[in-house]
Amino acid sequence: MTTTRHHHTRTTRLRAAAAITAAVATLTAGCTTDAKNDKGAPASPNPSTSPTASTDPHAAEKARILATYEGFWAESVKAYEAGSENGTKLVNFASGDALNQTLTDIANMQRAGTAMKGTPGHRAEVSALSMSGDRPSATISDCFDLSTWKIIDRTSRQVKPFPTEQPMHYITEFNAEIQGGQWMLTKFTRHGDRTC
């Protein structure tokens, strides 16, 4: 392999890695969670069994958390395609590490001349919730789906491939907490070795 080709391959992988980092797991209006979709599922044939939502004392709070997550992704998708957070409401849904990493990823992709097209898929759920203490907190676990979110060259608009070793479905986790009376995403972790 020549030095030029090695450099090109490395650059391509770095750009792809930036796009993957953009998966913070960076939900859109068209990408709802399984938990949300399950609410419309038919009731159990056994009339004596109550739906899970009615027995969960935190069902309403979990719905608020997932709404924040969906809002974050709706705004992230716009920003990753435009190459800028300008005109988005990312700051309404994320702060701290979650916001900083998202903005850094967008800037890296802009410098690399790439963008994201489409929308990532999600199967998100609130996997942990603590309403005690001064600042309630939660964890959102998501099976993040890259197969419907493509890297494109910003100039040619051609789709660029992900590295072959990149899983298209893997687990991401976001931390959230109440700030100023509303849920905000504060941190995220990608588990690329945990496929789903």
Side-chain angles (χ1 to χ4, degrees):
M1 178 183 289
T2 66
T3 303
T4 303
R5 182 171 178 90
H6 178 71
H7 176 72
H8 180 265
T9 301
R10 186 167 185 266
T11 302
T12 301
R13 288 190 176 187
L14 287 173
R15 288 181 180 175
I20 294 158
T21 301
V24 201
T26 78
L27 295 171
T28 66
C31 293
T32 56
T33 67
D34 280 356
K36 195 170 185 181
N37 287 342
D38 285 348
K39 291 179 185 174
S44 168
N46 182 349
S48 65
T49 304
S50 300
T52 303
S54 66
T55 60
D56 184 351
H58 298 298
E61 209 60 53
K62 289 178 179 179
R64 287 181 61 206
I65 295 165
L66 291 175
T68 294
Y69 191 66
E70 291 173 9
F72 168 78
W73 276 109
E75 297 304 309
S76 292
V77 164
K78 295 175 194 175
Y80 284 118
E81 185 168 353
S84 170
E85 75 277 13
N86 294 338
T88 70
K89 298 176 182 176
L90 277 171
V91 295
N92 292 355
F93 302 102
S95 65
D97 178 70
L99 180 61
N100 291 338
Q101 285 195 48
T102 303
L103 297 180
T104 298
D105 293 340
I106 292 165
N108 288 342
M109 292 191 73
Q110 175 72 358
R111 282 192 292 274
T114 57
M116 298 301 290
K117 188 73 175 173
T119 57
H122 302 272
R123 289 202 313 267
E125 64 178 6
V126 178
S127 55
L129 176 62
S130 172
M131 296 302 294
S132 62
D134 294 336
R135 185 165 287 175
S137 61
T139 301
I140 301 160
S141 298
D142 189 6
C143 179
F144 196 82
D145 181 0
L146 281 176
S147 67
T148 54
W149 208 23
K150 306 297 183 185
I151 308 170
I152 60 168
D153 183 279
R154 191 173 293 282
T155 302
S156 70
R157 309 305 287 178
Q158 294 296 309
V159 174
K160 301 175 75 64
F162 286 103
T164 54
E165 66 273 13
Q166 171 61 47
M168 290 293 100
H169 305 85
Y170 60 93
I171 299 296
T172 60
E173 289 183 330
F174 281 75
N175 292 15
E177 62 183 38
I178 291 183
Q179 297 178 357
Q182 69 180 50
W183 285 99
M184 297 285 284
L185 303 181
T186 57
K187 185 178 179 180
F188 77 93
T189 306
R190 286 177 300 278
H191 299 284
D193 57 334
R194 292 171 54 191
T195 58
C196 52

